[in-house]
Amino acid sequence: MAGSHLRVFRFALLFTSALSTATIATGDELHSMQRSFSQTANADLRSTVKPNFQRHIVPLFGRLGCNGRACHGSFQGQGGFRLSMFGFDFKEDHRSLLEAESARVSIEDPASSLILRKPTSSEDHEGGKRFAFDSWQYRVLKRWIETGAHEDSAQAGKLLRLEVLPNELLFTQAISSQQLQVIAHWDDGSREDVTCLSRFHSTDDGIVQVNDQGLVKSVGKGDAHVVVSYDAEVATIETLRPVSDVTLKDYPLVATPTEIDRLVAGKLRKLGIVPAEICNDDEFLRRASLDITGSLPVPDEVREFVFDQRADKRRLKIDELLNRPAFSVWWGTLFCDYTGLNAPLQLGNTDFAKPVGDQWTEWIERKLRDNVPYDKLVEGIVVATSRKPGQSYDDFAAEQSQFTRARNPVDFAAQDQMPHFWQRENIKDPEQKALAFAYSFLGVRLDCAQCHKHPFDRWTKRDFDQFAVCFERVRKGVSPESQFAYDEMVVELGVTRFTTAAERRGKYLRLAAEGKPAPWKEVFIGEPEKIKALDEIVPAKILGADEMNLCEDEDPRVKLMAWLRSKHNPYFSKAIVNRVWAQYFGRGIVNPPDDQNLGNPPSNSALLNYLSTGFIENQFDLKWLHRQIANSETYQRSCRTNSTNRLDERNFSRALVRRLPAEVVVDAILQSTAQSSKLPEFQTVMKNRRIGVQATADQRRTEFGLAVFGKPLRNTNCDCEREMLPSLLQSVYLRNDQDLLAALDRKDGWLSELASSFVGKLRTEDAGELIHQAYLRTLSRLPDEVELTRAMQYFEDCENRAEAMHDLMWVLINTQEFVTNH
């Protein structure tokens, strides 16, 4: 494809002349595959074009649906003929076409080839007619067969990028459709129009629809994306149609004091969406307290904040909340979600699970409390090994028991590394480690690529296999150099006399509790010689980066960590930025927050880029990120809607009403019904949040409530395990579950504390203050005039004052306002 000008090869059937002339630079030599294989094309023109298996044939199969999961791409194939799902196993696909018993290609007689006869319905075909006889598709396939039907993917070159024109579609009432053009840029400098070989789909068919030829049609107001796939690449373009008659010219002045506000407002302006007003002070305090610390503000705190006249009181409150112990406890729980801590199930369901789970939780909490940079926190997990350099196994075993002894244990959280991530029972194999690593630290789901080409991203099965090899040397158990010492310790301790695993574990736990050496398993790096043969077959390769030699490094994870913190890494900083954003807004900029892929674009790319770049520039400072988000007017907007943003749930024009997470709901019930002297404890120690460890006796009574409100088990690599949708069972729990009623009636609760106040008739001012306190404890605000009047009337009508107060608290806890963040 050499020449003085870049040549653009056009396969497409339908393009408007305006689009073609607008998108192709002057001087380019246009070569039309459509003309080459049309009815009117002469033989000389046709003979100059030779289709390539990777560039043209496999994408054509994908376009026609031949290698989809419902057809020949299924694992069992169809009609005795199988293709790799979504393509990209070129050698196997070529073998199936030419060499297998069910071969579909006849080089001797191209016209008799089944890949021509079946799709044209010249022979029975369960998939129906896919193209017409002598159509351009027919002629391309026939031409490939006539030229030898070669598997010439090696000559295809590397696809550098996929360009879609125009790169943004802004629809109006007058302009409701637009044709797309897709251009592939190859590493040999050539460009190729591959529109008719590309696959298209819309992320929201209720807003925009796209047909097989790339013709986009606006069918509803709002924003969506069109996803374009060709070869291994995926590209997206944003489509917008204003939701109101508010034009750019008429758009009201919206304050944008922060860069977040400017970037959010910029998109809202295009959509004709006017953002909600700023929330009032008590709404802000409740929302920020729940999001930052996972706990409600106490009544006195609400009153003080509402009456505070300082202009910067919200900024000061955010800083105060970030410095509370509750911040590290709550966000430590979320980080344990992301890193997959489930001690009983994922650490072997042994007696060692609880102390190890405690260590994991406390280690993360300490790093968050000390505001350790996020890349350093992750490094302490990623490159962790159990034994320090030069440490003997005996010394290691003795040290571990010092962390777990019952009296005055050594502080494990002070350690630089936390190796327990690699000890999980559900990531024994390199493939499982690769999936967990990608989920936890990249926000990427690689499950599809484990078996076939990812349908919405560039990752192929080979990409996944090469990435998994990076973890081949990461082992858990007993290293070869420690085996003798381990076996000797087992014999010395007399463990061999125990016949069951439970007895042996009980012995180990007793030793650990006494601070005596026990035969602990370890995380270690295996010897490189063991994988030399594997490395030659499937060389290790970081996702989207270079291959690496696993045998030349002492620990290959060091290179992985260097790649993570590189400013050019497209996932690491965006993953945590997106997850933190999602906790504050109820949805990610990329949503779901743990599914970063090319086919799932961010709702505001500029916003995500700004925050992730700033996060890196500020040395991965997590509190910088929290402050940026919480101090923005975008975060502080009200949940009350206007006519333009009523249906908007993806552009952050208003606060979304979000059900509280399970741990926060349970704590809110316990806090709102607690004695006044106990309230400060909910801003410091909150054991119910430590759901990664086995429940203590005090916690067991809350476990049912946590399960009802969607506490995640952390069994899978998915943020979706934390269930945030409301359910009927949640309503039943709040109405009459014994745990809820026990919280209201407990002897050390607030209602018992008030018992002395209910002797005789309450003065009006006393009743009013109690009602105020009830509202402040539950809803973090004072009652309005109507609410106060109704409550006072109920107190007057009810003979039993204690019962009236009990009823009021029960009613407030059962409001939607109590169980949601708004």
Side-chain angles (χ1 to χ4, degrees):
M1 297 188 179
S4 58
H5 300 292
L6 298 177
R7 294 193 292 171
V8 179
F9 289 80
R10 298 193 65 224
F11 274 80
L13 290 172
L14 298 172
F15 286 99
T16 63
S17 59
L19 182 62
S20 298
T21 56
T23 59
I24 304 301
T26 303
D28 282 347
E29 181 185 348
L30 295 179
H31 185 99
S32 173
M33 285 296 285
Q34 181 218 343
R35 290 197 301 271
S36 297
F37 292 97
S38 67
Q39 296 278 357
T40 59
N42 58 48
D44 290 339
L45 176 60
R46 208 171 289 160
S47 65
T48 61
V49 179
K50 179 182 177 182
N52 178 274
F53 188 66
Q54 177 180 342
R55 289 192 181 193
H56 309 125
I57 304 305
V58 172
L60 183 56
F61 288 153
R63 171 67 175 265
L64 296 170
C66 304
N67 57 18
R69 63 171 60 93
C71 198
H72 300 292
S74 66
F75 290 115
Q76 69 273 15
Q78 291 285 351
F81 174 55
R82 183 178 182 274
L83 294 169
S84 60
M85 191 181 293
F86 307 124
F88 239 76
D89 190 340
F90 302 120
K91 295 189 186 308
E92 184 59 29
D93 286 349
H94 189 264
R95 190 197 67 79
S96 295
L97 286 165
L98 272 78
E99 301 173 17
E101 293 181 9
S102 57
R104 279 351 195 214
V105 169
S106 172
I107 296 178
E108 293 77 17
D109 184 10
S112 69
S113 299
L114 292 179
I115 64 167
L116 296 175
R117 295 186 60 78
K118 281 183 171 288
T120 57
S121 291
S122 299
E123 291 196 20
D124 289 342
H125 185 222
E126 289 187 19
K129 188 174 182 179
R130 312 306 295 173
F131 52 81
F133 174 78
D134 222 23
S135 62
W136 73 268
Q137 296 99 324
Y138 180 95
R139 289 172 178 265
V140 168
L141 289 171
K142 186 180 179 185
R143 174 63 178 164
W144 174 68
I145 299 171
E146 291 171 343
T147 56
H150 298 295
E151 196 287 283
D152 49 3
S153 57
Q155 286 76 51
K158 182 180 179 181
L159 180 59
L160 298 179
R161 65 185 178 94
L162 206 59
E163 180 183 13
V164 182
L165 298 171
N167 57 17
E168 181 183 83
L169 296 178
L170 182 58
F171 291 111
T172 63
Q173 201 162 13
I175 303 174
S176 61
S177 64
Q178 177 69 65
Q179 175 65 49
L180 297 181
Q181 185 178 30
V182 186
I183 299 174
H185 293 254
W186 298 92
D187 63 353
D188 62 0
S190 64
R191 297 188 301 161
E192 188 169 357
D193 189 324
V194 293
T195 307
C196 73
L197 295 174
S198 300
R199 290 174 287 123
F200 305 88
H201 79 268
S202 168
T203 58
D204 190 336
D205 286 331
I207 292 177
V208 66
Q209 296 175 357
V210 58
N211 67 11
D212 290 343
Q213 285 75 43
L215 181 63
V216 183
K217 184 178 181 180
S218 171
V219 295
K221 297 177 179 180
D223 60 312
H225 284 83
V226 173
V227 182
V228 184
S229 306
Y230 169 77
D231 193 60
E233 287 299 318
V234 178
T236 60
I237 65 159
E238 189 172 42
T239 70
L240 304 101
R241 181 175 172 182
V243 302
S244 71
D245 295 329
V246 179
T247 64
L248 293 177
K249 184 178 179 181
D250 301 329
Y251 196 81
L253 181 64
V254 175
T256 55
T258 72
E259 185 65 8
I260 288 176
D261 299 324
R262 188 187 71 80
L263 293 170
V264 170
K267 185 173 178 185
L268 295 179
R269 191 175 292 108
K270 289 181 181 179
L271 287 167
I273 295 176
V274 178
E277 61 188 13
I278 301 300
C279 65
N280 59 38
D281 283 341
D282 50 28
E283 289 172 335
F284 166 79
L285 179 61
R286 187 178 197 273
R287 183 189 304 171
S289 297
L290 290 169
D291 285 336
I292 296 175
T293 69
S295 57
L296 293 168
V298 297
D300 289 345
E301 183 182 9
V302 178
R303 282 177 159 145
E304 290 172 8
F305 186 77
V306 169
F307 289 108
D308 189 343
Q309 298 301 309
R310 290 176 296 179
D312 61 345
K313 66 179 181 180
R314 294 193 178 190
R315 178 186 63 80
L316 295 172
K317 178 56 70 174
I318 290 167
D319 286 343
E320 178 191 333
L321 293 172
L322 288 171
N323 287 319
R324 284 183 184 173
F327 164 75
S328 59
V329 173
W330 170 232
W331 281 89
T333 295
L334 296 174
F335 274 57
C336 286
D337 284 356
Y338 307 148
T339 52
L341 167 60
N342 185 322
L345 295 180
Q346 295 178 352
L347 295 173
N349 200 23
T350 69
D351 294 316
F352 280 107
K354 186 182 186 307
V356 169
D358 287 341
Q359 290 173 5
W360 188 327
T361 303
E362 291 162 7
W363 187 88
I364 287 182
E365 287 180 7
R366 175 71 61 81
K367 303 311 173 192
L368 293 176
R369 188 191 72 190
D370 296 344
N371 200 30
V372 171
Y374 179 66
D375 63 323
K376 290 288 187 183
L377 184 155
V378 172
E379 183 178 34
I381 298 173
V382 169
V383 303
T385 53
S386 297
R387 283 191 291 139
K388 300 178 177 68
Q391 187 179 41
S392 70
Y393 180 80
D394 289 336
D395 289 342
F396 158 71
E399 180 184 49
Q400 291 302 303
S401 294
Q402 297 305 303
F403 295 134
T404 56
R405 67 191 181 196
R407 294 184 179 180
N408 301 317
V410 174
D411 186 10
F412 178 86
Q415 303 295 303
D416 291 332
Q417 296 186 344
M418 195 278 294
H420 305 324
F421 176 86
W422 302 109
Q423 292 178 310
R424 292 159 51 186
E425 287 292 307
N426 62 345
I427 61 168
K428 293 179 179 179
D429 302 326
E431 293 79 8
Q432 294 169 328
K433 290 181 174 70
L435 292 172
F437 181 93
Y439 161 75
S440 295
F441 308 120
L442 302 176
V444 172
R445 301 178 188 175
L446 290 176
D447 306 71
C448 289
Q450 193 174 6
C451 301
H452 54 77
K453 165 72 172 67
H454 197 297
F456 305 121
D457 215 328
R458 60 168 60 98
W459 311 124
T460 66
K461 186 179 185 304
R462 181 167 178 80
D463 288 329
F464 177 82
D465 290 342
Q466 288 187 282
F467 185 55
V469 173
C470 297
F471 303 94
E472 190 70 37
R473 289 177 58 194
V474 183
R475 310 284 173 79
K476 75 166 188 170
V478 182
S479 64
E481 65 183 78
S482 303
Q483 191 65 56
F484 178 79
Y486 177 87
D487 294 339
E488 192 175 58
M489 183 177 293
V490 169
V491 173
E492 183 180 324
L493 294 172
V495 179
T496 53
R497 73 175 185 272
F498 294 118
T499 57
T500 68
E503 289 176 330
R504 291 193 294 272
R505 290 197 303 267
K507 172 69 172 179
Y508 296 158
L509 189 64
R510 288 193 296 273
L511 291 168
E514 294 169 6
K516 297 176 181 178
W520 291 86
K521 299 293 179 69
E522 57 179 320
V523 173
F524 62 97
I525 300 300
E527 293 300 320
E529 288 74 14
K530 300 287 180 73
I531 63 165
K532 279 186 177 179
L534 174 64
D535 197 41
E536 292 173 0
I537 300 171
V538 185
K541 184 179 180 182
I542 299 173
L543 288 176
D546 298 327
E547 292 183 0
M548 67 179 185
N549 188 336
L550 291 182
C551 302
E552 68 181 11
D553 296 309
E554 186 173 337
D555 187 344
R557 297 174 302 170
V558 173
K559 282 187 177 177
L560 274 173
M561 192 61 230
W563 172 69
L564 284 183
R565 56 162 50 107
S566 166
K567 65 179 181 180
H568 302 297
N569 186 297
Y571 305 107
F572 180 59
S573 63
K574 287 182 180 178
I576 190 60
V577 163
N578 192 51
R579 276 174 163 146
V580 172
W581 181 278
Q583 290 298 324
Y584 279 95
F585 287 90
R587 65 173 293 127
I589 305 172
V590 173
N591 207 60
D594 62 334
D595 193 15
Q596 288 195 96
N597 68 69
L598 295 175
N600 184 33
S603 59
N604 193 320
S605 297
L607 175 62
L608 184 57
N609 290 337
Y610 162 73
L611 285 172
S612 59
T613 300
F615 186 53
I616 296 172
E617 291 174 349
N618 283 273
Q619 288 75 50
F620 299 94
D621 184 344
L622 285 165
K623 287 190 176 179
W624 173 88
L625 178 59
H626 286 279
R627 289 188 180 98
Q628 287 287 305
I629 294 172
N631 279 297
S632 69
E633 291 200 352
T634 300
Y635 173 69
Q636 297 178 24
R637 296 205 176 280
S638 169
C639 64
R640 289 177 285 277
T641 63
N642 57 51
S643 60
T644 68
N645 71 0
R646 181 174 57 87
L647 299 178
D648 177 44
E649 292 188 350
R650 51 183 271 118
N651 292 298
F652 317 111
S653 62
R654 60 185 174 90
L656 298 179
V657 177
R658 301 167 271 146
R659 207 215 66 209
L660 298 179
E663 304 86 342
V664 178
V665 172
V666 170
D667 274 341
I669 292 171
L670 296 176
Q671 175 179 338
S672 60
T673 59
Q675 280 184 1
S676 300
S677 61
K678 298 284 187 180
L679 289 180
E681 293 182 13
F682 288 86
Q683 299 175 341
T684 54
V685 180
M686 294 155 287
K687 290 183 179 179
N688 290 318
R689 304 237 169 85
R690 298 184 176 182
I691 59 174
V693 299
Q694 294 172 336
T696 64
D698 291 336
Q699 285 176 284
R700 289 193 183 102
R701 65 188 178 125
T702 67
E703 282 298 301
F704 177 67
L706 292 172
V708 166
F709 285 95
K711 178 189 79 171
L713 293 177
R714 301 169 179 164
N715 284 336
T716 63
N717 297 317
C718 185
D719 285 5
C720 60
E721 271 203 292
R722 179 173 285 280
E723 181 57 65
M724 295 298 292
L725 294 176
S727 71
L728 178 61
L729 185 57
Q730 293 166 11
S731 297
V732 173
Y733 177 89
L734 291 175
R735 277 162 174 73
N736 61 11
D737 188 84
Q738 59 183 1
D739 289 346
L740 184 280
L741 299 177
L744 285 168
D745 299 330
R746 66 187 191 272
K747 293 181 180 179
D748 61 345
W750 184 51
L751 295 181
S752 297
E753 177 187 337
L754 295 176
S756 59
S757 303
F758 300 135
V759 178
K761 187 175 180 63
L762 279 176
R763 293 183 303 168
T764 300
E765 56 268 29
D766 292 336
E769 176 58 24
L770 288 177
I771 293 168
H772 283 174
Q773 281 287 326
Y775 270 83
L776 289 169
R777 279 172 167 263
T778 55
L779 308 186
S780 308
R781 65 173 176 84
L782 293 172
D784 62 28
E785 202 171 311
V786 173
E787 292 167 333
L788 181 60
T789 300
R790 286 177 177 172
M792 291 290 291
Q793 186 62 53
Y794 187 74
F795 266 69
E796 287 293 324
D797 296 342
C798 190
E799 294 183 3
N800 189 322
R801 305 304 185 193
E803 187 175 304
M805 198 66 203
H806 181 282
D807 291 349
L808 176 60
M809 287 295 292
W810 182 88
V811 167
L812 291 174
I813 288 173
N814 273 277
T815 61
Q816 184 184 25
E817 190 175 351
F818 174 78
V819 81
T820 59
N821 195 349
H822 43 78

